[in-house]
Amino acid sequence: MATGDIDVGGAFYGAIIKLIAAKAPIRAVIGYYGSDDNTWQGYFVKEDSPIKSARDLIGKTVAVNTLGAHLEFVLREYLARGGLSAGEAKQVTLVVVPPVTGEQALRQGQVEVTTLAGVLRDKALERGGIRKLFSDQDLFGNFTGGAYVLREKFIKENPEAARKLVEGVAKAIEWARTSPPEVVRARFERIIAQRRRNEDASSIKYWKSTGVANQGGLITDNELQVWIDWLVKDGVLKPGQIKASALYTNAFNPYRAADAAAK
């Protein structure tokens, strides 16, 4: 995104904040994923694992999809709330494992904890033998976790394209947020059948919600401030270095309040 190799990107809010703080010329334009009662990121152990608390993770290995993003931030918050010192938290080892093989890595003993969400989580739970240690929703409640981003140059040169993109995504999010899950699943199945790409639609039955907390994926200062505060506490940012309002714009979102100032 920052180099112009692609026009649209999506990332965890913490990663977006770090990029913009490093002077990457990008702006968040719409929230696109999150956690709620039905859709969340969980940290799982084997059923008979002795791990039951944050302190039990000292010296253990945790599988995440990538470093420096959502799953690492949530884990580190869990460790901090569990009373671990910075030195103790460093003794918890994170390893990058593709989400599709996370369950296998746990069951084969390659890691002591794995992260699972969506269809991968539900299928793993159906097979049994694992249990949830904690989830991101346990720590933060319902929240939008990340946003689509555009380059500032792209927005300036292609304002109508930026608007159409955000409008389309916002309307799709809001329709999915307000429609019964069975109606959304039926639409997914119809789309997949009509485009004739020989796709496997069996995972659609596991879809439950978007996880997006705000109407149409609107971004708020508060949900970004959580991660700014975390980065300041962790020493990555200086106090007052960056303001939440400088990280995003809702200007293209049709659900923004009529009197909200376009950022």
Side-chain angles (χ1 to χ4, degrees):
M1 265 295 303
T3 60
D5 291 333
I6 59 172
D7 293 317
V8 184
F12 164 56
Y13 279 138
I16 293 171
I17 293 166
K18 288 195 291 184
L19 277 168
I20 294 177
K23 307 301 182 183
I26 61 175
R27 185 76 66 95
V29 293
I30 186 169
Y32 78 101
Y33 84 86
S35 296
D36 59 22
D37 293 339
N38 296 308
T39 301
W40 41 268
Q41 298 276 353
Y43 296 70
F44 291 86
V45 297
K46 290 182 181 179
E47 191 69 55
D48 59 356
S49 171
I51 299 173
K52 299 184 184 299
S53 70
R55 190 155 293 280
D56 294 333
L57 291 175
I58 295 175
K60 302 299 190 296
T61 301
V62 182
V64 296
N65 64 334
T66 188
L67 299 178
H70 185 116
L71 295 176
E72 179 177 347
F73 272 61
V74 171
L75 175 63
R76 292 175 67 181
E77 178 67 12
Y78 176 71
L79 298 177
R81 293 192 192 186
L84 273 67
S85 67
E88 289 172 328
K90 288 180 180 178
Q91 296 177 52
V92 181
T93 302
L94 277 68
V95 295
V96 175
V97 175
V100 71
T101 57
E103 177 192 357
Q104 180 182 7
L106 176 65
R107 294 188 187 279
Q108 293 182 346
Q110 295 170 321
V111 297
E112 283 85 13
V113 184
T114 195
T115 47
L116 296 168
V119 60
L120 298 176
R121 177 196 69 207
D122 290 349
K123 283 187 173 182
L125 289 172
E126 283 179 0
R127 285 186 275 269
I130 67 172
R131 60 177 169 82
K132 185 184 80 169
L133 180 62
F134 71 97
S135 74
D136 55 358
Q137 200 223 10
D138 293 337
L139 299 181
F140 298 105
N142 295 356
F143 68 100
T144 300
Y148 287 141
V149 295
L150 297 173
R151 293 190 314 283
E152 297 276 13
K153 182 179 179 182
F154 182 92
I155 292 173
K156 183 178 180 179
E157 295 179 351
N158 306 278
E160 189 58 22
R163 184 176 303 281
K164 289 293 186 183
L165 170 67
V166 175
E167 284 181 353
V169 174
K171 290 177 180 178
I173 286 173
E174 196 54 25
W175 175 80
R177 287 179 75 245
T178 58
S179 298
E182 60 272 18
V183 172
V184 180
R185 289 192 288 265
R187 176 70 63 87
F188 284 159
E189 289 171 345
R190 224 167 34 247
I191 290 170
I192 288 175
Q194 290 173 353
R195 64 190 184 190
R196 298 179 180 179
R197 297 179 183 171
N198 195 30
E199 298 166 281
D200 179 6
S202 62
S203 65
I204 290 174
K205 66 181 180 181
Y206 294 95
W207 188 91
K208 297 175 182 177
S209 68
T210 66
V212 176
N214 302 320
Q215 184 182 34
L218 285 167
I219 303 172
T220 68
D221 284 4
N222 288 342
E223 58 193 15
L224 283 159
Q225 194 62 49
V226 169
W227 305 110
I228 292 174
D229 293 344
W230 201 99
L231 288 164
V232 169
K233 181 179 68 175
D234 203 43
V236 177
L237 297 179
K238 297 176 182 178
Q241 179 179 343
I242 196 163
K243 292 184 177 180
S245 59
L247 300 167
Y248 71 97
T249 177
N250 283 322
F252 302 123
N253 196 311
Y255 296 96
R256 71 188 184 279
D259 59 348
K263 297 180 177 63

